[in-house]
């Protein structure tokens, strides 16, 4: 990539997104990721989209959607595209309005022979591999009737480079799900489709999603969208709880709502993000401090 093409140059301003999933209250780790993204996009004169990943209706709740808007407003974060509130999300921006688009991509992959149906239950998979990757059982046997998922076939020795790291996708993720039993798209398919259609060229993620980035690069290649591999990715280290485990919305670890009830201020949240932007916490008193003085060394 030449200097004039680098993300953030006048010829190639960043287009990025923050993409919360409304499956729980936003936690401190979400806030840090959003702040990193917001700062880097605003510093480089780019555009930012709010995308709410609500395709999984079983896990998404209205109160969690409301929490997203409440916490973003509290943090002072703005965006250039995307819903202005819960009603606008339902009417114009919900992923559920895009199921037809996701199906078109799925059918294309199926017709090219890249997918197969799988009837394995979670219990069967646990019995075979425990917590390991799915071993491709339904590659070798006809899928039975009943609840089925559709998986992407990931050949052995599928090596994908992300941020100068080589990921063996077959051993790290295996044949991952594209379409769920409840007739809805899985994360990898929906996220990739939205990023492609929105022209996203800059994605900030936690290091736990490095393999997901590799999966989406591989998937984009099968769809003939090899340019997705040239997106600028930045995978930052995770913010962990007191027990050393990554923060999770499912257990409400350090939720912003809970922290606010206990007296946390916006400055506290900004200071938590400061080390990720090359600053000491005591240097930060406001969001503007992060925007004006924060930096993030990227791999060119």
């Amino acid at each position: 990539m030449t200097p004039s093409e680098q993300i953030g140059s006048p010829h190639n301003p960043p287009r990025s997104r923050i993409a919360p999933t409304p499956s729980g209250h936003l936690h401190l780790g979400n806030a840090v990721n959003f702040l990193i993204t917001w700062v880097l996009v605003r510093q480089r004169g780019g555009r930012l989209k709010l995308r709410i990943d609500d395709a999984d209706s079983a896990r998404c709740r209205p109160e969690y959607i409301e929490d997203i808007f409440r916490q973003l407003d509290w943090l002072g974060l703005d965006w250039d595209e995307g819903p202005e509130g819960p009603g606008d999300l339902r009417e114009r921006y919900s992923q559920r309005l895009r199921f037809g688009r996701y199906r078109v991509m799925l059918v294309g992959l199926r017709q090219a022979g890249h997918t197969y149906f799988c009837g394995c239950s979670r219990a069967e998979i646990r019995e075979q591999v425990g917590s390991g990757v799915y071993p491709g059982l339904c590659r070798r046997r006809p899928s039975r009737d009943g609840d089925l998922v559709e998986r992407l076939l990931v050949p052995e020795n599928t090596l994908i480079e992300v941020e100068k790291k080589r990921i063996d996708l077959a051993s790290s993720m295996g044949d991952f799900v594209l379409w769920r039993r409840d007739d809805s798209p899985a994360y990898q398919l929906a996220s990739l489709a939205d990023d492609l259609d929105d022209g996203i060229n800059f994605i900030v993620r936690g290091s736990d999603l490095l393999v997901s980035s590799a999966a989406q690069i591989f998937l984009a290649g099968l769809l003939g969208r090899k340019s997705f591999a040239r997106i600028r990715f930045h995978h930052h280290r995770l913010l962990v709880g007191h027990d050393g485990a990554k923060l999770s919305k499912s257990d409400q670890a350090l939720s912003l709502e809970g922290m606010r009830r206990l007296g946390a201020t916006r400055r506290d949240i900004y200071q938590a993000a400061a080390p990720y932007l090359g600053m000491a916490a005591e240097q930060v008193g406001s969001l503007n401090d992060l925007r004006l003085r924060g930096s993030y060394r990227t791999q060119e």
Side-chain angles (χ1 to χ4, degrees), residues 186-208:
Y187 168 75
Q188 305 296 358
L189 180 65
S191 177
L192 174 65
D194 289 355
D195 284 337
L196 289 173
D197 291 351
D198 291 336
I200 299 301
N201 62 13
F202 179 69
I203 296 175
V204 178
R205 284 175 167 159
S207 59
D208 59 326

